[in-house]
Amino acid sequence: MTTAEALPDKPHNRPSKGVIVAIIVIVVALIAGIIFAVNKNKGDDSAAGGTTTVKIGTTEAANDYWKVLKKKASAEGINIEVVSFNDYTQPNVALSQGQVDLNVFQHLLFLADYNVKNHDNLTAISATYVVPLNIYSKKYQQVSQLPAGVTVAIPNDATNQGRALLVLQKAGLLKLRDGGSALSTPADVVANQSKVKVKAIDAAQTAASLDGVDAAVINNNFANDAGLDLNKVLYKDNATGKSADPYVNIIAAKAADKNNETYKKVAKLWSDPEVQKSIVKQSGGTAKVVSDRSQADLDKILGDLTTEIKKSNS
């Protein structure tokens, strides 16, 4: 055996486990930095382009006026993303939870009722329009033709029921205790001073009920969906004046966003003549555009309704 053969093998210069871990950490940090830089550049590009996205929740996503509204918003650097909901219980919850920035689907009474029931403080930042709540019939053409004792269907939900009863009172078909209010119920009908009986049913069924009742108070959208002629009604509701205040449709936001400048820009678009024209057309010519109500007006109406609802629940 030679001297060289007797020497042991030279050890390999393998890095320790600590060194390997350190290298991995550095590599991960570099990758994260690259990703961050790329995303930041994308964000900067978007900001430089001046485009801001505003998510609006609605139950009316299919309405044509959204196309006009989106076009107008785009010209001001605002991208409107319409978030569609199937029923009226969802948009306010989504707004409260921050899933959407604004919502457009309700009137002031509906919002006040929601806030009280859910201990929330969503607010109105702008008015949009009022739609009538008319009386329809397949058997009669005039209110005077209705015989005494006939049945009229009305919506059974809290925010439409009182309004329907007030419409019937204006039409001279019934009498409400103490003159009635937006919160009246069938229990407030003075039977011996009323010409008709009321039957409270789901609002979505009022149009279909016309085959089984003598008349029905039907929401504009349900009447439209049922193919009823919106201009041939038994009695036409007056969608203007102080009595219509609780039913002014609004754009709602979280209280903290009440003065958000971008949201105010979006809200102002509902006053654009082209948008208003599209809204009226969508309603079959029945909607009354509301563009002259100040923030103070809306706050007062909402506040008064909230107080009234709380009082009635106590």
Side-chain angles (χ1 to χ4, degrees):
M1 178 181 296
T2 65
T3 303
E5 290 175 337
L7 294 174
D9 294 335
K10 292 182 178 180
H12 297 291
N13 292 323
R14 295 176 179 175
S16 66
K17 290 183 178 179
V19 173
I20 294 174
V21 171
I23 292 172
I24 292 174
V25 170
I26 292 171
V27 171
V28 170
L30 286 171
I31 293 173
I34 292 170
I35 293 174
F36 175 80
V38 170
N39 287 334
K40 184 177 185 301
N41 285 335
K42 287 182 179 179
D44 290 343
D45 289 342
S46 175
T51 300
T52 303
T53 295
V54 177
K55 294 183 179 180
I56 303 179
T58 184
T59 56
E60 306 165 355
N63 286 1
D64 290 338
Y65 73 76
W66 287 108
K67 298 176 184 177
V68 183
L69 198 72
K70 284 184 175 183
K71 183 179 179 181
K72 297 287 181 180
S74 180
E76 295 194 24
I78 300 171
N79 172 47
I80 290 181
E81 182 180 330
V82 179
V83 181
S84 180
F85 293 97
N86 296 325
D87 63 68
Y88 296 146
T89 65
Q90 300 175 43
N92 278 334
V93 175
L95 177 58
S96 186
Q97 294 178 350
Q99 297 173 32
V100 296
D101 303 306
L102 304 169
N103 70 37
V104 179
F105 79 102
Q106 64 192 322
H107 50 53
L108 285 164
L109 179 58
F110 190 98
L111 178 57
D113 187 66
Y114 165 83
N115 278 342
V116 172
K117 289 179 178 177
N118 294 277
H119 306 288
D120 212 337
N121 64 340
L122 301 182
T123 191
I125 63 170
S126 181
T128 55
Y129 56 89
V130 180
V131 289
L133 188 63
N134 295 326
I135 306 174
Y136 294 81
S137 176
K138 288 185 176 181
K139 300 177 182 179
Y140 306 99
Q141 285 74 49
Q142 298 177 17
V143 169
S144 59
Q145 295 176 340
L146 286 173
V150 298
T151 299
V152 179
I154 65 171
N156 64 2
D157 58 284
T159 59
N160 282 305
Q161 186 170 250
R163 185 184 184 188
L165 291 171
L166 288 172
V167 169
L168 290 172
Q169 181 170 252
K170 289 177 185 175
L173 295 174
L174 56 73
K175 177 75 173 177
L176 294 171
R177 187 179 295 109
D178 299 324
S181 73
L183 304 180
S184 292
T185 71
D188 295 311
V189 175
V190 182
N192 61 3
Q193 297 181 44
S194 299
K195 185 178 181 179
V196 302
K197 300 175 182 178
V198 295
K199 180 180 181 182
I201 63 175
D202 186 279
Q205 299 303 315
T206 49
S209 76
L210 283 175
D211 292 325
V213 297
D214 298 280
V217 183
I218 307 173
N219 291 73
N220 215 54
N221 57 322
F222 295 129
N224 198 14
D225 291 344
L228 299 176
D229 189 332
L230 302 181
N231 294 299
K232 290 184 179 180
V233 298
L234 193 65
Y235 179 81
K236 199 168 190 177
D237 176 31
N238 180 12
T240 61
K242 189 173 178 59
S243 63
D245 282 354
Y247 315 111
V248 171
N249 283 270
I250 49 92
I251 302 168
K254 289 193 288 187
D257 294 330
K258 184 176 181 178
N259 297 313
N260 182 292
E261 290 301 324
T262 299
Y263 299 165
K264 283 185 176 181
K265 285 183 180 179
V266 172
K268 191 175 180 180
L269 293 175
W270 263 264
S271 298
D272 183 274
E274 286 186 52
V275 175
Q276 291 183 348
K277 182 179 178 181
S278 184
I279 288 172
V280 173
K281 182 179 179 181
Q282 186 79 43
S283 72
T286 63
K288 304 298 181 184
V289 174
V290 181
S291 58
D292 59 347
R293 304 310 291 265
S294 68
Q295 183 71 63
D297 283 344
L298 298 178
D299 287 345
K300 186 178 187 310
I301 297 169
L302 183 61
D304 290 346
L305 289 170
T306 299
T307 299
E308 191 175 352
I309 292 170
K310 287 179 177 179
K311 184 178 178 180
S312 69
N313 291 342
S314 61

